[in-house]
Amino acid sequence: MSQDARGFLWIGTEDGLNRYDGHHFKHFKGPDGLSAIEIKSLYTDPDSPWVWIGTRLGLNRIDTRTNVITSFDDAPFKGQRVGTIFKDPKGKLWIFATEGTAAVYDGKHWQTYEICGGSSGKFHTGLIDEMDRVWLANSNGLFRLAPGGECFERIELQEPFNSEPLVH
């Protein structure tokens, strides 16, 4: 669930995207332009009229002024479940797909990052810290991308974290 600058609530479900205006719901499904009706993540961009939508089969964006949905068919994770979406302090959009793809979008171009050494897994969550390091948690552990880095390095975890997969 996410709220845009105009106060609309955006709610993703297994049956599509819903906008609630405080009185009524508007429902969006595949024929409206979504790559899939199963919504997995939402991110409201505070600097634009867009809500970014992660689905079971890729990334979409809705313009909250016009309700026009754009599907990003050129994204490096097309056909993958998009689990996490957030924006860094430089305005770049980070997307983590559950098939092991980490990508950043500057508004025009995509850049992908891998796990150093080739280990991957389903990405569950990510964030950027105050030192501009990007962190990932997935079924194989915790990973960090340093500013200017080329790949995510694995962070060795101590007890009790090293025996269970990180999921959130």
Side-chain angles (χ1 to χ4, degrees):
M1 184 167 32
S2 188
Q3 186 173 24
D4 69 23
R6 298 187 311 171
F8 293 133
L9 289 180
W10 295 88
I11 304 163
T13 70
E14 292 293 315
D15 192 39
L17 179 68
N18 300 277
R19 186 194 72 200
Y20 183 61
D21 65 6
H23 301 287
H24 307 320
F25 282 94
K26 175 156 178 60
H27 187 71
F28 301 89
K29 283 189 156 192
D32 296 310
L34 291 171
S35 56
I37 63 170
E38 299 93 343
I39 307 302
K40 300 301 181 184
S41 56
L42 294 172
Y43 173 74
T44 300
D45 188 335
D47 303 316
S48 75
W50 301 324
V51 173
W52 294 87
I53 308 154
T55 74
R56 181 179 57 84
L57 295 174
L59 182 69
N60 301 264
R61 179 181 71 195
I62 188 166
D63 185 322
T64 61
R65 299 166 301 185
T66 62
N67 292 332
V68 172
I69 297 173
T70 302
S71 182
F72 285 79
D73 295 332
D74 64 338
F77 42 79
K78 180 175 173 36
Q80 297 181 37
R81 178 181 162 197
V82 173
T84 301
I85 307 168
F86 65 89
K87 197 181 224 185
D88 70 20
K90 295 177 184 168
K92 294 180 179 179
L93 196 70
W94 287 84
I95 295 97
F96 300 129
T98 58
E99 298 303 317
T101 302
V104 63
Y105 183 61
D106 66 7
K108 295 180 183 173
H109 304 97
W110 293 101
Q111 181 174 356
T112 58
Y113 293 92
E114 296 179 1
I115 303 293
C116 298
S119 174
S120 69
K122 295 183 176 190
F123 295 154
H124 299 298
T125 190
L127 62 84
I128 189 161
D129 69 16
E130 67 279 350
M131 296 172 64
D132 288 337
R133 297 176 297 191
V134 180
W135 294 83
L136 290 177
N138 77 8
S139 55
N140 291 325
L142 182 66
F143 300 84
R144 176 182 61 207
L145 177 68
E150 296 182 10
C151 60
F152 282 87
E153 59 184 325
R154 184 181 177 92
I155 304 300
E156 293 301 322
L157 299 176
Q158 304 298 317
E159 287 286 344
F161 300 108
N162 60 354
S163 62
E164 297 293 327
L166 300 175
V167 294
H168 295 286

